[in-house]
Amino acid sequence: MKSVKVKCPAKINLTLEVVNKREDGYHNIKSIMQLVSLYDYLTISAEKSETPEIILSGTSDEIPYDEKNLVYKAAKLYMEKVGMTDVKLDIHIEKNIPIAAGLAGGSTDGAGTIMGLNYLFEALDNKEMNELCASLGSDLNVCLNGGCSLATSRGEVTKKLPAAEYPVTLIKPKNLGISAKEAYTKYALKKFKPKYEMTEKMFVALLDREDITKFLYNDLEDAVFGDYKELQEIKNVIPEAIMSGSGPTYFVLSDLDIDLGEEYQIIKGLNFIQTGTEII
């Protein structure tokens, strides 16, 4: 048996602007995504077997440990890609990133699975790993490659951007999850869709090493904001907070010392990081 442990970071969307809807049902976006120091951990063990098998386990009771899990899908895709027919995989997921929170918790675990398996079997180059990630979802490539990235198309086309250093505080309603499908559907129903071009403005600010906080923006925030009192409470108490991804997690680029009560999870002491999924 051989095994590896992979550290899988969360991401936040510093900007997220919807360009248009695609024929495949996804949306083209422009987004600047940043990896932060909040991690899931995967322990991947592989041994010889008469037939291929994938067994998942983990610490969370909020996610499925079967073929619905993106870790399972990533492992299955990798095995098919490299022709692994005689291997049993045991993958344990230590879950610390909140679920359905706009933080790419599932995506980073999927990317980490591909990285971990490739560490064990050394069958793919970096381009091929990125191609597998792109076929599985929109945020996996950012999580695989790390740091700060401009993400376009449906999020899988990425360009690395200069590193910036900011502290991060996350604020999440404990009993609320918002799916990407819900957020994008509600955005599509909006009659007024302003175009502020914040992604381009932040892109320039990053290149010039200027303050980026005035360009933080998310098109999806307004689409779901009116439907959830929890989001309204966050914004009322912390006006500068911005929603990440499809939400419902908000973030501020500061070490925020605040208590919103038992209904909210506050994750303090985080920072921008320049790595993505990595072997530890």
Side-chain angles (χ1 to χ4, degrees), residues 99-225:
I99 293 145
L103 300 173
S107 294
T108 194
D109 292 349
T113 300
I114 290 173
M115 173 173 277
L117 288 174
N118 207 55
Y119 176 84
L120 293 177
F121 296 101
E122 300 179 328
L124 304 178
D125 60 25
N126 189 64
K127 180 175 181 291
E128 290 170 318
M129 285 198 295
N130 271 280
E131 287 171 350
L132 286 190
C133 283
S135 71
L136 284 165
S138 299
D139 294 337
L140 279 80
N141 297 81
V142 169
C143 296
L144 180 73
N145 298 315
C148 184
S149 298
L150 171 66
T152 54
S153 187
R154 56 178 170 80
E156 84 285 6
V157 178
T158 65
K159 174 183 174 63
K160 288 296 286 287
L161 295 177
E165 294 186 9
Y166 285 89
V168 180
T169 303
L170 303 179
I171 309 100
K172 181 192 179 295
K174 287 183 178 179
N175 299 314
L176 176 62
I178 300 176
S179 69
K181 181 179 180 180
E182 176 186 349
Y184 279 101
T185 298
K186 288 179 176 177
Y187 177 82
L189 295 174
K190 288 181 57 181
K191 293 182 179 179
F192 179 58
K193 300 182 176 71
K195 301 297 181 184
Y196 296 121
E197 304 299 341
M198 289 300 197
T199 301
E200 283 81 357
K201 293 172 183 176
M202 184 176 289
F203 183 93
V204 172
L206 284 165
L207 292 179
D208 293 341
R209 307 288 181 176
E210 295 178 351
D211 179 30
I212 65 171
T213 56
K214 58 187 174 182
F215 303 122
L216 299 171
Y217 179 76
N218 186 342
D219 266 340
L220 299 182
E221 180 178 343
D222 187 53
V224 298
F225 185 79

